[in-house]
Amino acid sequence: MTVSVLVVDDEPDLEVLFRQQFRRELRAQRFVMDFAGSAAQALNRISDTGEQTLILILSDVNMPGMNGLEMLPELRARRPDVPVIMITAYGDAETRKTALERGAQALLTKPIDFGQVRQAIEARLEQHAC
């Protein structure tokens, strides 16, 4: 069974950045990274993970259409077993409060601290292995 991390962001450059940051882990097949360019795509992907076990969702807050904060309650309702970490360029107190109230495990600000992302993924991989 393959484990996966879903990254939700409308900026296509982010996929390249994530793949570069986690290239060793991806090459070693420790997990796979799936990408969704919108909230609608993300909601479809979490419903149909096939042979993959979804262990973590990383989502941008600001996206066209349904934004990440609007999507968050739906993600939590459909997949309460999967932690969600929100990512934003605007880490103000109100955004943080809203994200946490709606079920986010954490809120990270851009530029993304990939050390924090790596720690979150490693923690989920350890939990999944048990």
Side-chain angles (χ1 to χ4, degrees), residues 5 7 18 29 31 44 106:
V5 174
V7 180
F18 268 89
Q29 299 179 344
F31 57 89
N44 285 337

Side-chain angles (χ1 to χ4, degrees), residues 86-113:
M86 302 303 294
I87 301 170
T88 183
Y90 313 101
D92 61 274
E94 187 61 32
T95 301
R96 180 174 302 282
K97 179 180 176 224
T98 302
L100 296 175
E101 284 175 349
R102 293 184 182 182
Q105 180 179 14
L107 178 77
L108 302 179
T109 55
K110 292 179 180 178
I112 299 169
D113 179 343

Side-chain angles (χ1 to χ4, degrees), residues 5-8 14-15 18-19 33-37 41 45:
V5 174
L6 176 62
V7 180
V8 186
L14 203 71
E15 180 175 347
F18 268 89
R19 290 196 185 283
M33 285 194 140
D34 290 324
F35 295 86
Q41 284 180 356
R45 294 252 170 87

Side-chain angles (χ1 to χ4, degrees), residues 9-10 12 16 18 21 29 36 43 83 92 116 123 129:
D9 198 300
D10 60 312
V16 173
F18 268 89
Q21 288 292 324
Q29 299 179 344
L43 293 171
D92 61 274
Q116 288 181 304

Side-chain angles (χ1 to χ4, degrees), residues 20-55:
Q20 286 174 341
Q21 288 292 324
F22 294 99
R23 67 186 171 277
R24 288 186 190 103
E25 293 87 347
L26 296 173
R27 247 190 246 129
Q29 299 179 344
R30 293 192 65 220
F31 57 89
V32 297
M33 285 194 140
D34 290 324
F35 295 86
S38 69
Q41 284 180 356
L43 293 171
N44 285 337
R45 294 252 170 87
I46 66 166
S47 299
D48 181 29
T49 56
E51 295 296 313
Q52 297 179 357
T53 300
L54 184 60
I55 62 167

